[in-house]
């Protein structure tokens, strides 16, 4: 299965200048439960996908009210620091879009 | 307990809102108009330089409508984080606009202005007294970080807004402010539940983003009761659903259940979102957990040099196949061409390779037929930055890489002049908590009779 086929929203955004937060909002509750039970989105998976140490994955939260999964990572740089590529952090979601998984 | 009605016209003062929606909202007879005006999202430049990121004409248009409506209904208007970052210099531009509007529209009101900017010496002393604490992944600020900052502000909570309203102000203009406080403070003052008031403020501060279709540039109404609140967009083109409102709780937050703010955190673990109608959502179960000793968040920025950049492109398959080596050699040659004591940072942002994601980019292979290159130089002075950019640009333009057959030049420049002088560059220098027994003493409203 490919994440974009089961999600309504896949996005990234700053959560303050030092953190980047990734949101996946699923289309239906059945798939949300399956992904949650199988633990498809987890710290190791995010660390691997973004080539960062697993300690830099600050939290993974499953939020059933909104059928959403949120992963928050340490920003590679403070927003706007030398070497910045995306001040708002709004285009860091792409590795999740075509993520393949099985449930 | 009477239901309190709060109108939130826009996500940011200056982002605009449809006039039809606004006056339809005013016709619902709100008890309060509140609006947020700031964010750290556009980066450190605005806080560091004191230049607002919103356009002066757009801010005037939004403020004029809000001031007119507040005077017409004789209700309070509270604006948080005025001027983008809440610095005194940004506030000054907006306060001048408010006085101008009052004169032009013949409005009069008592205004409270609450500064959020700190004397650096006060914070150095707080640091020495152990009252400044590290916040999340941000580094612990040093004394040098504080002293080198051009501006340091703290996010105020509800206390100064309540004080200003108690003292009879109708219009309250705050410096840097915890986003929900502008909406929640007047409600808490009237005895409404703190958790519900703050949670409602958290949703209202983004205007109609919590609706579907969502927008930061359209109006939303909040209805606050004793043990619930409701949200409903004003425009008939939008609606709120339990999913759209609960999904909004995720936006720009690291954890959707625990939302820290001055004096404690909101715990939304037990919240229930239900449909009150096909476009109104009811929320219950928000909780507020106070901190033992209250804290406020500090934000500071400092200058980090001046920037010069050049935008160019390449469409040569041989060049693109050797891209990394070429850029490395251009960096070395540039260094050779400048004297050793020349301090600078030279970076190439390569669109078509990893221009958007940098170190986070998982794809290693360049598959594009062309690449866009931004030559980015930051140096202690503008002249130095100009010099380094000029050398790097001309070196890359004529660099003779192995197998080169396009011998006239390696780069396509869309502009003449090719080099853009950007001016000062700022970085965040302070992002930490200030622990204080008495947060109310940090922020003092100053009063002014406007239009009299």
């Amino acid at each position: 299965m490919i994440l974009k086929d089961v999600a309504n929203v896949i996005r990234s955004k700053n959560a303050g200048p030092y953190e980047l937060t990734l949101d996946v909002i699923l289309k239906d509750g059945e798939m949300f439960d399956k992904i949650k039970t199988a633990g498809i989105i987890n710290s190791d998976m995010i660390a691997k996908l973004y080539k960062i140490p697993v300690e830099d994955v600050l939290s993974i939260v499953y939020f059933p009210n909104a059928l959403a999964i949120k992963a928050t990572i340490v920003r590679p740089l403070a927003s706007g620091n030398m070497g910045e590529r995306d001040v708002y952090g709004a285009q860091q979601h792409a590795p999740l879009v075509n993520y393949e998984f099985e449930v | 307990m009477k239901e309190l009605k709060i109108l939130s016209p826009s996500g940011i003062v200056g982002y605009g809102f449809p006039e039809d929606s606004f006056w339809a909202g005013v016709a619902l007879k709100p008890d309060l108009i509140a609006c947020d005006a700031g964010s750290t999202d556009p980066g450190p430049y605005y806080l560091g330089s004191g230049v607002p990121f919103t356009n002066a004409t757009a801010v005037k248009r939004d403020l004029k409508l809000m001031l007119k409506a507040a005077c017409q209904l004789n209700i309070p208007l509270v604006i948080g984080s005025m001027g983008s970052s809440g610095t005194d210099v940004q506030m000054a531009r907006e306060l001048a606009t408010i006085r101008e509007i009052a004169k032009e529209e013949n409005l009069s009101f008592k205004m409270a202005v609450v500064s959020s900017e700190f004397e650096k010496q006060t914070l150095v002393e707080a640091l020495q007294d152990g009252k400044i604490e590290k916040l999340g992944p941000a580094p612990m600020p040093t004394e040098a970080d504080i002293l080198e900052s051009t501006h340091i502000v703290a996010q105020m909570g509800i206390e100064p807004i309540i004080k200003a309203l108690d003292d009879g102000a109708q219009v309250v203009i705050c410096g840097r402010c915890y986003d929900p406080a502008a909406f929640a403070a007047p409600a808490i003052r009237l005895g409404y539940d703190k958790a519900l008031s703050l949670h409602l403020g958290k949703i209202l501060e983004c205007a109609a983003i919590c609706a579907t279709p969502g927008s930061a540039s359209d109006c939303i109404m909040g209805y606050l009761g004793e043990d619930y609140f409701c949200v409903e967009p004003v425009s008939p083109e939008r609606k709120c659903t339990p999913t759209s409102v609960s999904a909004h709780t995720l936006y720009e937050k690291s954890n959707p259940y625990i939302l820290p703010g001055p004096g404690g955190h909101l715990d939304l673990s037990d919240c229930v979102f239900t449909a009150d109608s096909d476009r109104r959502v009811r929320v219950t179960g928000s909780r507020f957990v106070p901190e033992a000793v209250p804290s406020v968040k500090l934000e500071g920025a400092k200058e980090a040099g001046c920037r010069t950049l050049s935008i160019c492109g390449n469409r040569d398959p041989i060049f693109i196949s050797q891209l990394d080596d070429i850029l490395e050699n251009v960096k070395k040659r540039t260094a050779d061409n400048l004297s050793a004591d020349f301090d600078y940072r030279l970076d190439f942002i390569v669109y078509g390779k990893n221009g958007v994601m940098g170190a986070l980019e998982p794809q290693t292979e360049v598959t594009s037929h062309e690449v866009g290159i931004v030559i980015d130089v930051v140096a202690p002075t503008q002249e130095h930055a100009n010099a380094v950019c000029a050398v790097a640009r001309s070196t890359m333009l004529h660099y003779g890489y192995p197998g080169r057959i396009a011998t006239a030049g390696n780069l396509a420049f869309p502009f003449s002049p090719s080099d853009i002088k950007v001016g000062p560059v700022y970085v965040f220098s302070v992002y930490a908590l200030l622990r204080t027994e008495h947060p109310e003493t940090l922020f003092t409203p100053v009063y002014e009779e406007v239009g009299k």
Side-chain angles (χ1 to χ4, degrees):
Chain A
M1 229 162 279
I2 295 173
L3 203 53
K4 72 166 190 276
D5 295 336
V6 298
N8 274 333
V9 172
I10 300 177
R11 68 186 176 196
S12 67
K13 189 78 201 278
N14 292 349
Y18 290 86
E19 295 177 14
L20 182 75
T21 193
L22 304 155
D23 295 342
V24 177
I25 304 181
L26 296 165
K27 287 179 184 166
D28 69 78
E30 202 182 324
M31 184 53 71
F32 175 85
D33 290 339
K34 279 184 187 168
I35 289 176
K36 187 175 182 219
T37 308
I40 299 295
I41 296 182
N42 60 62
S43 298
D44 287 332
M45 170 261 191
I46 294 289
K48 218 168 143 189
L49 211 49
Y50 284 87
K51 306 187 298 175
I52 55 173
V54 72
E55 310 84 75
D56 284 358
V57 181
L58 298 171
S59 64
I60 305 278
V61 181
Y62 284 76
F63 190 53
N65 269 336
L67 304 179
I69 306 150
K70 179 182 264 300
T72 302
I73 66 173
V74 176
R75 247 178 157 279
L77 300 160
S79 165
N81 252 13
M82 304 303 114
E84 178 61 81
R85 301 303 176 86
D86 184 2
V87 171
Y88 288 69
Q91 279 295 310
Q92 305 301 310
H93 61 295
L96 286 166
V97 174
N98 287 317
Y99 183 74
E100 281 185 56
F101 64 99
E102 279 175 43
V103 284
Chain B
M1 204 171 205
K2 166 189 174 301
E3 195 174 65
L4 192 79
K5 290 182 276 187
I6 306 174
L7 171 62
S8 169
S10 180
I12 299 255
V13 175
Y15 278 15
F17 45 83
E19 244 190 279
D20 286 354
S21 287
F22 180 72
W23 291 115
V26 172
L28 296 167
K29 297 266 186 308
D31 303 289
L32 164 71
I33 300 175
C35 199
D36 184 48
S39 173
T40 54
D41 239 21
Y45 175 79
Y46 308 93
L47 173 60
S49 66
V51 175
F53 65 74
T54 45
N55 174 272
T57 309
V59 168
K60 186 174 180 183
R61 180 266 187 191
D62 287 2
L63 281 176
K64 179 154 86 177
L65 290 167
M66 288 188 241
L67 286 165
K68 276 171 80 169
C71 288
Q72 202 177 318
L73 295 173
N74 196 28
I75 57 168
L77 169 67
V78 183
I79 309 276
S81 302
M82 188 90 255
S84 312
S85 317
T87 64
D88 289 347
V89 55
Q90 292 168 325
M91 296 257 283
R93 184 190 87 171
E94 318 301 46
L95 292 171
T97 303
I98 290 172
R99 292 180 198 111
E100 197 177 282
I101 294 167
K103 206 169 172 186
E104 287 167 6
E105 301 294 323
N106 199 24
L107 304 172
S108 60
F109 44 84
K110 181 171 177 176
M111 176 164 76
V113 178
V114 191
S115 168
S116 59
E117 197 155 347
F118 277 81
E119 292 290 333
K120 291 177 207 169
Q121 202 48 47
T122 316
L123 292 174
V124 168
E125 283 161 25
L127 185 70
Q128 287 163 352
D129 293 345
K131 288 186 172 155
I132 293 182
E133 292 172 18
K134 186 173 152 52
L135 177 58
M140 178 69 185
T142 62
E143 196 169 314
D145 289 330
I146 292 171
L147 292 171
E148 287 167 12
S149 297
T150 47
H151 298 282
I152 304 175
V153 294
Q155 285 192 9
M156 66 185 77
I158 57 171
E159 298 85 2
I161 302 170
I162 291 176
K163 167 91 169 86
L165 294 170
D166 282 345
D167 289 345
Q170 184 181 2
V171 174
V172 184
I173 306 296
C174 306
R176 188 64 173 136
C177 181
Y178 176 52
D179 296 348
F183 303 83
I188 295 166
R189 174 177 173 264
L190 295 173
Y192 289 86
D193 179 72
K194 190 171 188 177
L196 288 168
S197 303
L198 286 168
H199 188 192
L200 174 59
K202 196 99 206 167
I203 295 172
L204 294 183
E205 63 104 350
C206 290
I209 284 186
C210 69
T212 175
S215 171
S217 307
D218 202 355
C219 309
I220 191 145
M221 289 289 293
Y223 301 89
L224 181 59
E226 197 174 340
D227 54 3
Y228 70 92
F229 68 81
C230 294
V231 284
E232 182 175 346
V234 177
S235 162
E237 290 160 26
R238 307 180 193 283
K239 56 183 184 174
C240 281
T241 68
T243 309
S244 76
V245 176
S246 57
H248 173 68
T249 310
L250 298 164
Y251 191 62
E252 296 177 338
K253 315 286 183 307
S254 48
N255 183 328
Y257 293 117
I258 305 293
L259 307 178
H265 68 263
L266 273 175
D267 183 341
L268 308 183
S269 315
D270 299 328
C271 275
V272 181
F273 300 80
T274 48
D276 226 31
S277 74
D278 65 343
R279 56 196 310 277
R280 184 192 287 224
V281 169
R282 177 178 291 252
V283 182
T284 56
S286 326
R287 282 184 289 136
F288 182 77
V289 182
E291 296 173 291
V293 180
S295 64
V296 293
K297 191 197 281 184
L298 298 172
E299 297 166 349
K302 66 178 178 187
E303 199 180 314
C306 290
R307 168 170 279 140
T308 305
L309 59 84
S310 187
I311 300 170
C312 47
N314 177 280
R315 178 66 176 80
D316 185 304
I318 304 168
F319 181 100
I320 292 173
S321 71
Q322 299 177 46
L323 191 62
D324 291 347
D325 286 343
I326 293 170
L327 297 178
E328 202 44 51
N329 286 324
V330 169
K331 270 193 184 175
K332 280 187 199 146
R333 291 247 179 127
T334 304
D336 286 347
N337 269 288
L338 299 162
S339 65
D341 60 352
F342 229 75
D343 180 24
Y344 66 90
R345 186 184 187 285
L346 168 62
D347 189 20
F348 300 109
I349 302 172
V350 184
Y351 291 98
K353 182 177 186 289
N354 62 357
V356 172
M357 295 192 66
L360 295 180
E361 175 59 61
Q363 188 171 324
T364 46
E365 200 185 329
V366 178
T367 54
S368 164
H369 64 283
E370 64 179 24
V371 292
I373 303 171
V374 178
I375 304 171
D376 174 25
V377 179
V378 176
T381 67
Q382 190 68 62
E383 289 67 31
H384 276 208
N386 296 348
V388 177
C389 188
V391 172
R393 186 236 314 132
S394 58
T395 303
M396 185 148 55
L397 177 62
H398 299 298
Y399 182 70
Y401 54 88
R404 183 185 192 228
I405 55 174
T407 52
N410 301 325
L411 301 173
F413 294 99
F415 309 123
S416 171
S418 58
D419 299 359
I420 304 164
K421 296 151 191 76
V422 178
V425 175
Y426 294 84
V427 293
F428 284 111
S429 51
V430 177
Y431 194 75
L433 291 179
L434 173 64
R435 194 69 65 184
T436 168
E437 299 276 355
H438 303 288
E440 68 280 1
T441 60
L442 298 176
F443 310 96
T444 311
V446 175
Y447 301 100
E448 176 178 338
E449 293 290 346
V450 179
K452 276 177 192 160

